[in-house]
Amino acid sequence: MLPINCLETTSAKMREQPNIAVIGGGVVGITVAKLFQDRLKNAKVTVLAENYTEDTTSHIAAGIFRPGTSFKGPTKEITKKWLNESWQFWQDILKTPDAEQIGVMTLGAYIFSKENYHVTRNHLIEDLVPIYRPVTDEELKLGPKGTKFGSYFSTLKVECERYLPWMGNIIVERGGELINRKVENFASLSNYDLVFNCAGLGAKYLCNDYDMVPIRGQVIKVKAPWVKSAFYGDIDTYIIPGLNGVVTLGGCRGYDSYNLNYCKYDAASILERCCEFLPNLKNAEVIAHKVGLRPHRMPVRVEPELVDGVKVVHCYGHGGYGVMTAPGTAIDAVEMGLNFLRSNIKNKL
Ligand SMILES: Cc1cc2nc3c(=O)[nH]c(=O)nc-3n(C[C@H](O)[C@H](O)[C@H](O)COP(=O)(O)OP(=O)(O)OC[C@H]3O[C@@H](n4cnc5c(N)ncnc54)[C@H](O)[C@@H]3O)c2cc1C
């Protein structure tokens, strides 16, 4: 946060039409752009992105609300705030008649393990989601042979295939623009009053941020409308049903891997592990194989910085949890952006 004496509450910038750029057309950039418009109606918001919709990492994600227990903001309190506010954001959409059209749905999920009780627990959401409980003896039989531990929880899922175009349309209807452009550096955006950096893995290069690490993931999208609950198992195995009977089968995590090519060995391993849960999946029609690089950073970076005289608010590094946590981080980024815009800071923070 900026020191209070840096704020000019009656700043001319707030009265004119401030010119705002958002780098990134994934779930984080699109959410920040829309939430900024919500807060400052007279702002001219331009999204600048190399890729949109199906060419983003966001589009590949199953989008389930289940953070890894290592998901981290700068403090425990901020981590919790991001999760709570994100959950509330998605709940508000679920209450509307458009939820399905926007790509948001409720979902029940099982998490099983043959070896480790702790992987079935999640301190970050046990007091947030409506249900998080141990499975019954009967439910334990839903896991593969040898399953010893299990939990059931109620959660939600967001399909970026629908969410991104829906939010993008709102941004444009309000006078914003979505432009195809690769940003080489922040200095090239000196004509903007404020820039949000939501470039995901691209932020590694824009900021020379060596804490940014890709974590490679591969999934199989299959048609299996009979799958009604999500299942998690050992060795990063998951089965996550979505809208229109499309189910995401995963997964794998390749730390520091930049390989965006499909790997047939990963696909075979994923299918074998998922069929241990639900043998019928081997007959499911394969719709697509997808590979993405999770933009991992510890902690996720949400903070203002003056770079080459340009006011920049960073919001990147959400790793494997950026769909679910985009709104909470975006709310903080937008607040920082509004304070930054009002300030007359000319030197480094
Ligand atoms: C297999 C897999 C499964 C996943 N499952 C889940 C899940 O179930 N739940 C969940 O919450 N998350 C999940 N994730 C993680 C989630 O996909 C990411 O955390 C999220 O998509 C990050 O969003 P983002 O907007 O930061 O990045 P991206 O979606 O990668 O978007 C980055 C944007 O920045 C643009 N960009 C980058 N550099 C520049 C530049 N220099 N100039 C202009 N534009 C630039 C890109 O073109 C793109 O538009 C999963 C990820 C993978 C790979």
Side-chain angles (χ1 to χ4, degrees), residues 23-30 48-52 55-66 160 181-184 198-203 206 215-219 232 238 240 248 252 290-295 315-325:
I23 310 172
V27 65
V28 176
I30 292 292
L48 306 168
E50 210 178 349
N51 297 303
Y52 286 95
D55 296 322
T56 62
T57 312
S58 304
H59 194 266
I60 294 165
I64 194 168
F65 198 105
R66 184 208 164 233
C160 280
R181 170 175 163 191
K182 179 170 183 182
V183 177
E184 299 297 342
C198 311
L201 195 58
L206 279 172
I215 301 185
R216 180 183 179 277
Q218 182 168 321
V219 293
Y232 283 90
Y238 52 86
I240 303 175
T248 305
C252 60
K290 301 266 184 191
V291 180
L293 305 179
R294 301 171 178 95
C315 190
Y316 66 84
H318 299 64
Y321 316 107
V323 178
M324 52 167 286
T325 58

Short mmCIF file of all heavy atoms in Angstrom, two decimals, residues 23-30 48-52 55-66 160 181-184 198-203 206 215-219 232 238 240 248 252 290-295 315-325, ligand 1:
data_model
loop_
_atom_site.label_atom_id
_atom_site.label_comp_id
_atom_site.label_asym_id
_atom_site.label_seq_id
_atom_site.Cartn_x
_atom_site.Cartn_y
_atom_site.Cartn_z
N ILE A 23 -1.72 -5.51 -19.07
CA ILE A 23 -0.98 -6.48 -19.89
C ILE A 23 -1.48 -7.87 -19.51
O ILE A 23 -1.38 -8.28 -18.34
CB ILE A 23 0.54 -6.40 -19.65
CG1 ILE A 23 1.04 -4.96 -19.76
CG2 ILE A 23 1.29 -7.30 -20.63
CD1 ILE A 23 2.50 -4.78 -19.33
N GLY A 24 -2.04 -8.60 -20.48
CA GLY A 24 -2.47 -9.97 -20.20
C GLY A 24 -3.95 -10.18 -20.46
O GLY A 24 -4.79 -9.46 -19.92
N GLY A 25 -4.24 -11.18 -21.29
CA GLY A 25 -5.63 -11.51 -21.63
C GLY A 25 -6.08 -12.83 -21.03
O GLY A 25 -7.05 -13.43 -21.48
N GLY A 26 -5.34 -13.31 -19.98
CA GLY A 26 -5.77 -14.52 -19.28
C GLY A 26 -6.76 -14.15 -18.19
O GLY A 26 -7.24 -13.01 -18.11
N VAL A 27 -7.04 -15.11 -17.31
CA VAL A 27 -8.07 -14.89 -16.29
C VAL A 27 -7.71 -13.73 -15.36
O VAL A 27 -8.59 -12.97 -14.93
CB VAL A 27 -8.34 -16.21 -15.51
CG1 VAL A 27 -7.13 -16.65 -14.70
CG2 VAL A 27 -9.57 -16.09 -14.64
N VAL A 28 -6.41 -13.54 -15.09
CA VAL A 28 -6.03 -12.48 -14.15
C VAL A 28 -6.21 -11.10 -14.81
O VAL A 28 -6.86 -10.22 -14.25
CB VAL A 28 -4.57 -12.69 -13.64
CG1 VAL A 28 -4.15 -11.53 -12.75
CG2 VAL A 28 -4.46 -14.01 -12.89
N GLY A 29 -5.66 -10.94 -16.03
CA GLY A 29 -5.75 -9.64 -16.71
C GLY A 29 -7.20 -9.25 -16.99
O GLY A 29 -7.60 -8.10 -16.75
N ILE A 30 -7.98 -10.20 -17.47
CA ILE A 30 -9.37 -9.89 -17.83
C ILE A 30 -10.18 -9.54 -16.57
O ILE A 30 -11.01 -8.62 -16.58
CB ILE A 30 -9.99 -11.08 -18.61
CG1 ILE A 30 -9.33 -11.22 -19.99
CG2 ILE A 30 -11.50 -10.98 -18.72
CD1 ILE A 30 -9.63 -10.08 -20.98
N LEU A 48 -3.81 -5.28 -23.34
CA LEU A 48 -2.79 -5.56 -24.35
C LEU A 48 -2.31 -6.99 -24.12
O LEU A 48 -1.79 -7.29 -23.03
CB LEU A 48 -1.60 -4.61 -24.20
CG LEU A 48 -1.93 -3.11 -24.20
CD1 LEU A 48 -0.70 -2.32 -23.75
CD2 LEU A 48 -2.37 -2.67 -25.58
N ALA A 49 -2.49 -7.87 -25.09
CA ALA A 49 -2.06 -9.25 -24.86
C ALA A 49 -1.58 -9.89 -26.14
O ALA A 49 -2.12 -9.65 -27.22
CB ALA A 49 -3.21 -10.07 -24.27
N GLU A 50 -0.56 -10.72 -25.97
CA GLU A 50 -0.02 -11.47 -27.11
C GLU A 50 -1.05 -12.52 -27.53
O GLU A 50 -1.24 -12.78 -28.72
CB GLU A 50 1.28 -12.14 -26.64
CG GLU A 50 2.26 -12.33 -27.74
CD GLU A 50 3.56 -12.96 -27.21
OE1 GLU A 50 3.76 -13.06 -25.98
OE2 GLU A 50 4.35 -13.36 -28.07
N ASN A 51 -1.71 -13.13 -26.54
CA ASN A 51 -2.70 -14.18 -26.82
C ASN A 51 -3.98 -13.97 -26.03
O ASN A 51 -3.93 -13.45 -24.91
CB ASN A 51 -2.14 -15.55 -26.44
CG ASN A 51 -0.93 -15.92 -27.26
OD1 ASN A 51 -0.98 -15.96 -28.48
ND2 ASN A 51 0.18 -16.16 -26.58
N TYR A 52 -5.08 -14.42 -26.62
CA TYR A 52 -6.38 -14.37 -25.93
C TYR A 52 -7.00 -15.77 -25.91
O TYR A 52 -6.54 -16.69 -26.62
CB TYR A 52 -7.33 -13.41 -26.64
CG TYR A 52 -6.98 -11.96 -26.39
CD1 TYR A 52 -6.17 -11.26 -27.29
CD2 TYR A 52 -7.43 -11.30 -25.26
CE1 TYR A 52 -5.83 -9.93 -27.06
CE2 TYR A 52 -7.09 -9.97 -25.02
CZ TYR A 52 -6.30 -9.28 -25.92
OH TYR A 52 -5.96 -7.98 -25.68
N ASP A 55 -5.63 -19.53 -26.49
CA ASP A 55 -4.16 -19.55 -26.52
C ASP A 55 -3.55 -19.15 -25.18
O ASP A 55 -2.34 -18.95 -25.08
CB ASP A 55 -3.65 -18.64 -27.63
CG ASP A 55 -4.10 -19.15 -28.99
OD1 ASP A 55 -4.11 -20.38 -29.18
OD2 ASP A 55 -4.48 -18.33 -29.84
N THR A 56 -4.38 -19.03 -24.14
CA THR A 56 -3.84 -18.69 -22.82
C THR A 56 -3.76 -19.96 -21.95
O THR A 56 -4.45 -20.95 -22.21
CB THR A 56 -4.74 -17.67 -22.09
OG1 THR A 56 -6.04 -18.26 -21.89
CG2 THR A 56 -4.89 -16.39 -22.89
N THR A 57 -2.96 -19.89 -20.90
CA THR A 57 -2.89 -21.00 -19.92
C THR A 57 -4.24 -21.14 -19.24
O THR A 57 -4.69 -22.26 -18.94
CB THR A 57 -1.81 -20.70 -18.85
OG1 THR A 57 -0.63 -20.28 -19.52
CG2 THR A 57 -1.51 -21.91 -18.00
N SER A 58 -4.89 -20.02 -18.99
CA SER A 58 -6.17 -20.02 -18.29
C SER A 58 -7.19 -20.94 -18.97
O SER A 58 -8.00 -21.60 -18.32
CB SER A 58 -6.73 -18.60 -18.24
OG SER A 58 -5.80 -17.73 -17.64
N HIS A 59 -7.13 -20.96 -20.29
CA HIS A 59 -8.11 -21.74 -21.06
C HIS A 59 -7.94 -23.24 -20.85
O HIS A 59 -8.87 -24.01 -21.00
CB HIS A 59 -7.94 -21.37 -22.55
CG HIS A 59 -9.06 -21.82 -23.40
ND1 HIS A 59 -9.04 -23.02 -24.07
CD2 HIS A 59 -10.24 -21.25 -23.71
CE1 HIS A 59 -10.15 -23.16 -24.76
NE2 HIS A 59 -10.90 -22.09 -24.55
N ILE A 60 -6.71 -23.67 -20.49
CA ILE A 60 -6.41 -25.10 -20.34
C ILE A 60 -6.91 -25.63 -18.99
O ILE A 60 -7.29 -26.78 -18.85
CB ILE A 60 -4.88 -25.33 -20.46
CG1 ILE A 60 -4.45 -25.00 -21.89
CG2 ILE A 60 -4.47 -26.74 -20.08
CD1 ILE A 60 -2.96 -24.82 -22.05
N ALA A 61 -6.89 -24.74 -17.99
CA ALA A 61 -7.18 -25.15 -16.61
C ALA A 61 -8.58 -25.73 -16.48
O ALA A 61 -9.52 -25.25 -17.12
CB ALA A 61 -7.04 -23.94 -15.70
N ALA A 62 -8.71 -26.74 -15.59
CA ALA A 62 -10.04 -27.23 -15.24
C ALA A 62 -10.79 -26.15 -14.47
O ALA A 62 -12.00 -26.05 -14.53
CB ALA A 62 -9.93 -28.50 -14.41
N GLY A 63 -10.04 -25.34 -13.73
CA GLY A 63 -10.64 -24.19 -13.04
C GLY A 63 -11.36 -24.53 -11.74
O GLY A 63 -12.22 -23.79 -11.29
N ILE A 64 -10.96 -25.65 -11.12
CA ILE A 64 -11.63 -26.03 -9.86
C ILE A 64 -11.10 -25.17 -8.71
O ILE A 64 -9.94 -24.76 -8.71
CB ILE A 64 -11.44 -27.55 -9.57
CG1 ILE A 64 -12.40 -28.02 -8.46
CG2 ILE A 64 -10.00 -27.86 -9.21
CD1 ILE A 64 -12.49 -29.53 -8.31
N PHE A 65 -11.99 -24.89 -7.74
CA PHE A 65 -11.61 -24.11 -6.55
C PHE A 65 -11.07 -25.10 -5.51
O PHE A 65 -11.81 -25.66 -4.72
CB PHE A 65 -12.81 -23.35 -6.00
CG PHE A 65 -12.45 -22.23 -5.07
CD1 PHE A 65 -12.54 -20.92 -5.50
CD2 PHE A 65 -11.99 -22.47 -3.78
CE1 PHE A 65 -12.19 -19.88 -4.64
CE2 PHE A 65 -11.65 -21.44 -2.92
CZ PHE A 65 -11.75 -20.14 -3.35
N ARG A 66 -9.81 -25.34 -5.59
CA ARG A 66 -9.12 -26.21 -4.61
C ARG A 66 -7.65 -25.83 -4.62
O ARG A 66 -6.87 -26.33 -5.43
CB ARG A 66 -9.30 -27.68 -4.98
CG ARG A 66 -8.68 -28.60 -3.94
CD ARG A 66 -8.23 -29.92 -4.51
NE ARG A 66 -7.34 -30.58 -3.59
CZ ARG A 66 -6.12 -31.03 -3.91
NH1 ARG A 66 -5.65 -30.88 -5.13
NH2 ARG A 66 -5.37 -31.62 -3.03
N CYS A 160 -12.91 -21.23 -18.17
CA CYS A 160 -12.44 -19.99 -18.81
C CYS A 160 -12.90 -19.89 -20.26
O CYS A 160 -12.98 -18.78 -20.80
CB CYS A 160 -10.92 -19.89 -18.70
SG CYS A 160 -10.42 -19.31 -17.08
N ARG A 181 -1.16 -7.33 -28.80
CA ARG A 181 0.15 -6.67 -28.83
C ARG A 181 1.08 -7.31 -27.81
O ARG A 181 0.67 -7.54 -26.67
CB ARG A 181 -0.04 -5.17 -28.51
CG ARG A 181 1.28 -4.45 -28.28
CD ARG A 181 1.09 -2.95 -28.08
NE ARG A 181 2.28 -2.37 -27.48
CZ ARG A 181 2.36 -1.14 -27.01
NH1 ARG A 181 1.31 -0.33 -27.07
NH2 ARG A 181 3.47 -0.68 -26.47
N LYS A 182 2.29 -7.59 -28.23
CA LYS A 182 3.31 -8.05 -27.28
C LYS A 182 3.99 -6.82 -26.69
O LYS A 182 4.48 -5.96 -27.44
CB LYS A 182 4.33 -8.95 -27.96
CG LYS A 182 5.39 -9.40 -26.99
CD LYS A 182 6.29 -10.47 -27.50
CE LYS A 182 7.24 -10.83 -26.35
NZ LYS A 182 8.20 -11.81 -26.67
N VAL A 183 4.01 -6.71 -25.38
CA VAL A 183 4.69 -5.58 -24.73
C VAL A 183 6.13 -6.00 -24.46
O VAL A 183 6.37 -7.02 -23.81
CB VAL A 183 3.96 -5.21 -23.42
CG1 VAL A 183 4.70 -4.09 -22.69
CG2 VAL A 183 2.51 -4.81 -23.69
N GLU A 184 7.08 -5.19 -24.95
CA GLU A 184 8.50 -5.55 -24.78
C GLU A 184 9.05 -5.06 -23.45
O GLU A 184 9.93 -5.69 -22.88
CB GLU A 184 9.34 -4.98 -25.94
CG GLU A 184 8.94 -5.49 -27.33
CD GLU A 184 9.13 -7.00 -27.51
OE1 GLU A 184 9.87 -7.62 -26.71
OE2 GLU A 184 8.51 -7.57 -28.44
N CYS A 198 -0.29 -8.25 -15.71
CA CYS A 198 -0.96 -9.54 -15.45
C CYS A 198 -0.53 -10.51 -16.54
O CYS A 198 -1.36 -11.18 -17.18
CB CYS A 198 -2.47 -9.39 -15.46
SG CYS A 198 -3.08 -8.02 -14.45
N ALA A 199 0.79 -10.56 -16.78
CA ALA A 199 1.31 -11.29 -17.94
C ALA A 199 1.60 -12.75 -17.64
O ALA A 199 2.17 -13.45 -18.48
CB ALA A 199 2.57 -10.60 -18.45
N GLY A 200 1.21 -13.25 -16.47
CA GLY A 200 1.48 -14.65 -16.14
C GLY A 200 2.97 -14.94 -16.27
O GLY A 200 3.81 -14.18 -15.79
N LEU A 201 3.30 -16.02 -16.96
CA LEU A 201 4.71 -16.40 -17.11
C LEU A 201 5.50 -15.32 -17.86
O LEU A 201 6.70 -15.17 -17.67
CB LEU A 201 4.80 -17.74 -17.84
CG LEU A 201 6.15 -18.45 -17.75
CD1 LEU A 201 6.57 -18.71 -16.31
CD2 LEU A 201 6.12 -19.75 -18.55
N GLY A 202 4.81 -14.54 -18.71
CA GLY A 202 5.46 -13.45 -19.45
C GLY A 202 6.08 -12.42 -18.52
O GLY A 202 7.02 -11.70 -18.90
N ALA A 203 5.59 -12.34 -17.28
CA ALA A 203 6.12 -11.38 -16.31
C ALA A 203 7.57 -11.72 -15.95
O ALA A 203 8.33 -10.85 -15.53
CB ALA A 203 5.26 -11.35 -15.05
N LEU A 206 9.36 -9.62 -18.51
CA LEU A 206 9.11 -8.18 -18.38
C LEU A 206 9.80 -7.62 -17.14
O LEU A 206 10.22 -6.48 -17.12
CB LEU A 206 7.59 -7.93 -18.27
CG LEU A 206 6.81 -7.91 -19.58
CD1 LEU A 206 5.31 -7.85 -19.29
CD2 LEU A 206 7.22 -6.70 -20.44
N ILE A 215 5.61 -24.47 -14.26
CA ILE A 215 5.35 -25.86 -13.85
C ILE A 215 4.46 -26.48 -14.92
O ILE A 215 3.27 -26.14 -15.03
CB ILE A 215 4.72 -25.96 -12.45
CG1 ILE A 215 5.63 -25.31 -11.41
CG2 ILE A 215 4.43 -27.42 -12.09
CD1 ILE A 215 5.18 -25.43 -9.97
N ARG A 216 5.07 -27.34 -15.72
CA ARG A 216 4.36 -27.90 -16.88
C ARG A 216 3.23 -28.82 -16.45
O ARG A 216 3.37 -29.63 -15.53
CB ARG A 216 5.35 -28.68 -17.76
CG ARG A 216 4.73 -29.29 -18.99
CD ARG A 216 5.75 -30.11 -19.77
NE ARG A 216 5.15 -30.72 -20.94
CZ ARG A 216 4.45 -31.85 -20.93
NH1 ARG A 216 4.28 -32.50 -19.81
NH2 ARG A 216 3.93 -32.33 -22.05
N GLY A 217 2.09 -28.69 -17.14
CA GLY A 217 0.95 -29.58 -16.90
C GLY A 217 0.40 -30.09 -18.20
O GLY A 217 0.47 -29.40 -19.23
N GLN A 218 -0.10 -31.32 -18.18
CA GLN A 218 -0.75 -31.88 -19.37
C GLN A 218 -2.07 -32.50 -18.93
O GLN A 218 -2.14 -33.12 -17.86
CB GLN A 218 0.15 -32.94 -20.02
CG GLN A 218 -0.44 -33.52 -21.30
CD GLN A 218 0.58 -34.35 -22.09
OE1 GLN A 218 1.76 -33.98 -22.18
NE2 GLN A 218 0.13 -35.44 -22.67
N VAL A 219 -3.12 -32.31 -19.73
CA VAL A 219 -4.44 -32.89 -19.41
C VAL A 219 -5.06 -33.50 -20.65
O VAL A 219 -4.66 -33.18 -21.78
CB VAL A 219 -5.42 -31.83 -18.82
CG1 VAL A 219 -4.97 -31.34 -17.46
CG2 VAL A 219 -5.62 -30.66 -19.78
N TYR A 232 -9.79 -36.80 -6.80
CA TYR A 232 -8.34 -36.60 -6.73
C TYR A 232 -7.70 -37.84 -6.12
O TYR A 232 -8.28 -38.43 -5.18
CB TYR A 232 -7.99 -35.42 -5.81
CG TYR A 232 -8.21 -34.07 -6.42
CD1 TYR A 232 -9.44 -33.43 -6.30
CD2 TYR A 232 -7.19 -33.42 -7.10
CE1 TYR A 232 -9.65 -32.18 -6.86
CE2 TYR A 232 -7.39 -32.17 -7.66
CZ TYR A 232 -8.61 -31.55 -7.54
OH TYR A 232 -8.82 -30.32 -8.09
N TYR A 238 -6.19 -36.56 -11.24
CA TYR A 238 -7.50 -35.92 -11.02
C TYR A 238 -8.44 -36.12 -12.20
O TYR A 238 -8.02 -36.27 -13.35
CB TYR A 238 -7.38 -34.44 -10.66
CG TYR A 238 -6.54 -33.59 -11.59
CD1 TYR A 238 -7.09 -33.01 -12.73
CD2 TYR A 238 -5.20 -33.33 -11.30
CE1 TYR A 238 -6.32 -32.21 -13.56
CE2 TYR A 238 -4.43 -32.54 -12.14
CZ TYR A 238 -5.00 -31.98 -13.27
OH TYR A 238 -4.24 -31.20 -14.10
N ILE A 240 -11.99 -34.22 -13.36
CA ILE A 240 -12.83 -33.06 -12.99
C ILE A 240 -13.90 -32.83 -14.05
O ILE A 240 -13.60 -32.40 -15.17
CB ILE A 240 -11.96 -31.79 -12.80
CG1 ILE A 240 -10.88 -32.07 -11.74
CG2 ILE A 240 -12.82 -30.60 -12.39
CD1 ILE A 240 -9.88 -30.95 -11.54
N THR A 248 -12.08 -33.21 -17.46
CA THR A 248 -10.62 -33.00 -17.55
C THR A 248 -9.91 -34.10 -16.76
O THR A 248 -10.20 -34.29 -15.57
CB THR A 248 -10.24 -31.62 -16.97
OG1 THR A 248 -11.00 -30.61 -17.65
CG2 THR A 248 -8.75 -31.33 -17.15
N CYS A 252 0.06 -33.90 -14.40
CA CYS A 252 1.49 -33.99 -14.11
C CYS A 252 2.02 -32.60 -13.80
O CYS A 252 1.36 -31.60 -14.11
CB CYS A 252 2.22 -34.60 -15.30
SG CYS A 252 2.07 -33.66 -16.81
N LYS A 290 -4.12 -31.27 -23.95
CA LYS A 290 -3.66 -29.88 -23.77
C LYS A 290 -2.43 -29.84 -22.86
O LYS A 290 -2.35 -30.60 -21.89
CB LYS A 290 -4.75 -29.03 -23.10
CG LYS A 290 -6.06 -28.98 -23.88
CD LYS A 290 -6.08 -27.77 -24.76
CE LYS A 290 -7.41 -27.64 -25.47
NZ LYS A 290 -7.39 -26.64 -26.51
N VAL A 291 -1.55 -28.91 -23.18
CA VAL A 291 -0.34 -28.71 -22.35
C VAL A 291 -0.27 -27.23 -21.97
O VAL A 291 -0.51 -26.35 -22.80
CB VAL A 291 0.94 -29.09 -23.14
CG1 VAL A 291 2.18 -28.87 -22.28
CG2 VAL A 291 0.87 -30.53 -23.61
N GLY A 292 0.04 -26.95 -20.71
CA GLY A 292 0.19 -25.55 -20.28
C GLY A 292 1.28 -25.41 -19.24
O GLY A 292 1.67 -26.39 -18.59
N LEU A 293 1.79 -24.19 -19.11
CA LEU A 293 2.84 -23.91 -18.12
C LEU A 293 2.25 -23.05 -17.00
O LEU A 293 1.86 -21.90 -17.24
CB LEU A 293 4.02 -23.18 -18.78
CG LEU A 293 4.63 -23.88 -20.01
CD1 LEU A 293 5.77 -23.03 -20.58
CD2 LEU A 293 5.13 -25.28 -19.68
N ARG A 294 2.17 -23.63 -15.81
CA ARG A 294 1.60 -22.87 -14.68
C ARG A 294 2.61 -21.79 -14.28
O ARG A 294 3.79 -22.09 -14.05
CB ARG A 294 1.36 -23.79 -13.49
CG ARG A 294 0.39 -24.95 -13.79
CD ARG A 294 0.39 -25.94 -12.64
NE ARG A 294 -0.53 -27.04 -12.81
CZ ARG A 294 -0.19 -28.23 -13.32
NH1 ARG A 294 1.05 -28.45 -13.72
NH2 ARG A 294 -1.07 -29.19 -13.43
N PRO A 295 2.16 -20.52 -14.16
CA PRO A 295 3.09 -19.43 -13.79
C PRO A 295 3.32 -19.38 -12.29
O PRO A 295 2.66 -18.66 -11.56
CB PRO A 295 2.35 -18.17 -14.29
CG PRO A 295 0.90 -18.56 -14.23
CD PRO A 295 0.79 -20.05 -14.38
N CYS A 315 0.45 -8.18 -10.85
CA CYS A 315 -0.49 -9.19 -10.35
C CYS A 315 -0.21 -10.47 -11.14
O CYS A 315 -0.85 -10.72 -12.16
CB CYS A 315 -1.93 -8.71 -10.53
SG CYS A 315 -3.14 -9.74 -9.69
N TYR A 316 0.75 -11.23 -10.68
CA TYR A 316 1.13 -12.43 -11.43
C TYR A 316 1.76 -13.48 -10.51
O TYR A 316 2.11 -13.18 -9.36
CB TYR A 316 2.09 -12.09 -12.57
CG TYR A 316 3.45 -11.57 -12.14
CD1 TYR A 316 4.48 -12.45 -11.80
CD2 TYR A 316 3.72 -10.21 -12.09
CE1 TYR A 316 5.74 -11.98 -11.43
CE2 TYR A 316 4.97 -9.73 -11.70
CZ TYR A 316 5.98 -10.62 -11.37
OH TYR A 316 7.21 -10.17 -11.00
N GLY A 317 1.88 -14.70 -11.06
CA GLY A 317 2.57 -15.77 -10.32
C GLY A 317 1.62 -16.69 -9.57
O GLY A 317 1.98 -17.24 -8.53
N HIS A 318 0.40 -16.87 -10.11
CA HIS A 318 -0.64 -17.63 -9.41
C HIS A 318 -0.46 -19.15 -9.50
O HIS A 318 -1.27 -19.90 -8.95
CB HIS A 318 -2.02 -17.26 -9.95
CG HIS A 318 -2.39 -15.80 -9.78
ND1 HIS A 318 -1.69 -14.79 -10.38
CD2 HIS A 318 -3.37 -15.21 -9.07
CE1 HIS A 318 -2.23 -13.62 -10.04
NE2 HIS A 318 -3.26 -13.85 -9.24
N GLY A 319 0.55 -19.61 -10.22
CA GLY A 319 0.85 -21.05 -10.28
C GLY A 319 -0.31 -21.88 -10.78
O GLY A 319 -0.94 -21.55 -11.78
N GLY A 320 -0.61 -22.96 -10.05
CA GLY A 320 -1.69 -23.87 -10.45
C GLY A 320 -3.05 -23.45 -9.92
O GLY A 320 -4.00 -24.24 -9.95
N TYR A 321 -3.17 -22.18 -9.44
CA TYR A 321 -4.40 -21.80 -8.75
C TYR A 321 -4.94 -20.44 -9.19
O TYR A 321 -5.67 -19.79 -8.46
CB TYR A 321 -4.15 -21.83 -7.22
CG TYR A 321 -3.38 -23.07 -6.84
CD1 TYR A 321 -2.04 -23.02 -6.48
CD2 TYR A 321 -3.99 -24.32 -6.96
CE1 TYR A 321 -1.32 -24.18 -6.22
CE2 TYR A 321 -3.27 -25.49 -6.71
CZ TYR A 321 -1.93 -25.41 -6.34
OH TYR A 321 -1.23 -26.56 -6.11
N GLY A 322 -4.57 -20.03 -10.40
CA GLY A 322 -4.89 -18.67 -10.84
C GLY A 322 -6.33 -18.44 -11.27
O GLY A 322 -6.81 -17.31 -11.21
N VAL A 323 -7.02 -19.51 -11.68
CA VAL A 323 -8.41 -19.30 -12.06
C VAL A 323 -9.21 -19.00 -10.80
O VAL A 323 -9.90 -17.98 -10.69
CB VAL A 323 -8.99 -20.51 -12.82
CG1 VAL A 323 -10.46 -20.28 -13.15
CG2 VAL A 323 -8.18 -20.79 -14.09
N MET A 324 -9.07 -19.89 -9.81
CA MET A 324 -9.86 -19.72 -8.59
C MET A 324 -9.50 -18.45 -7.82
O MET A 324 -10.38 -17.81 -7.23
CB MET A 324 -9.71 -20.94 -7.68
CG MET A 324 -8.28 -21.33 -7.40
SD MET A 324 -8.14 -22.52 -6.05
CE MET A 324 -8.48 -21.49 -4.68
N THR A 325 -8.22 -18.03 -7.82
CA THR A 325 -7.80 -16.90 -6.98
C THR A 325 -7.69 -15.58 -7.74
O THR A 325 -7.35 -14.57 -7.13
CB THR A 325 -6.44 -17.18 -6.30
OG1 THR A 325 -5.47 -17.43 -7.33
CG2 THR A 325 -6.50 -18.37 -5.37
C1 LIG B 1 -2.91 -28.30 -16.66
C2 LIG B 1 -3.31 -27.12 -15.81
C3 LIG B 1 -4.39 -27.25 -14.94
C4 LIG B 1 -4.77 -26.18 -14.14
N1 LIG B 1 -5.87 -26.32 -13.31
C5 LIG B 1 -6.26 -25.27 -12.54
C6 LIG B 1 -7.41 -25.38 -11.71
O1 LIG B 1 -8.09 -26.43 -11.68
N2 LIG B 1 -7.77 -24.28 -10.96
C7 LIG B 1 -7.07 -23.12 -10.99
O2 LIG B 1 -7.45 -22.18 -10.31
N3 LIG B 1 -5.98 -22.99 -11.79
C8 LIG B 1 -5.55 -24.03 -12.54
N4 LIG B 1 -4.44 -23.92 -13.34
C9 LIG B 1 -3.62 -22.68 -13.23
C10 LIG B 1 -4.17 -21.56 -14.07
O3 LIG B 1 -4.34 -21.97 -15.40
C11 LIG B 1 -3.20 -20.36 -14.01
O4 LIG B 1 -2.86 -20.05 -12.67
C12 LIG B 1 -3.87 -19.13 -14.62
O5 LIG B 1 -4.34 -19.44 -15.90
C13 LIG B 1 -2.92 -17.95 -14.66
O6 LIG B 1 -3.62 -16.91 -15.30
P1 LIG B 1 -2.85 -15.65 -15.89
O7 LIG B 1 -3.89 -14.74 -16.42
O8 LIG B 1 -1.89 -15.17 -14.87
O9 LIG B 1 -1.95 -16.27 -17.05
P2 LIG B 1 -2.26 -16.68 -18.56
O10 LIG B 1 -3.56 -17.37 -18.71
O11 LIG B 1 -1.04 -17.42 -19.02
O12 LIG B 1 -2.35 -15.30 -19.31
C14 LIG B 1 -1.20 -14.49 -19.49
C15 LIG B 1 -1.53 -13.45 -20.52
O13 LIG B 1 -0.44 -12.53 -20.63
C16 LIG B 1 -0.11 -12.39 -22.00
N5 LIG B 1 1.29 -11.98 -22.07
C17 LIG B 1 2.37 -12.54 -21.51
N6 LIG B 1 3.48 -11.80 -21.77
C18 LIG B 1 3.07 -10.75 -22.52
C19 LIG B 1 3.73 -9.65 -23.08
N7 LIG B 1 5.04 -9.45 -22.94
N8 LIG B 1 2.99 -8.77 -23.80
C20 LIG B 1 1.67 -8.93 -23.97
N9 LIG B 1 0.99 -9.97 -23.44
C21 LIG B 1 1.68 -10.85 -22.72
C22 LIG B 1 -0.41 -13.73 -22.60
O14 LIG B 1 -0.51 -13.64 -24.01
C23 LIG B 1 -1.75 -14.01 -21.92
O15 LIG B 1 -2.78 -13.30 -22.56
C24 LIG B 1 -4.04 -24.97 -14.18
C25 LIG B 1 -2.99 -24.83 -15.09
C26 LIG B 1 -2.61 -25.90 -15.89
C27 LIG B 1 -1.47 -25.74 -16.85
#
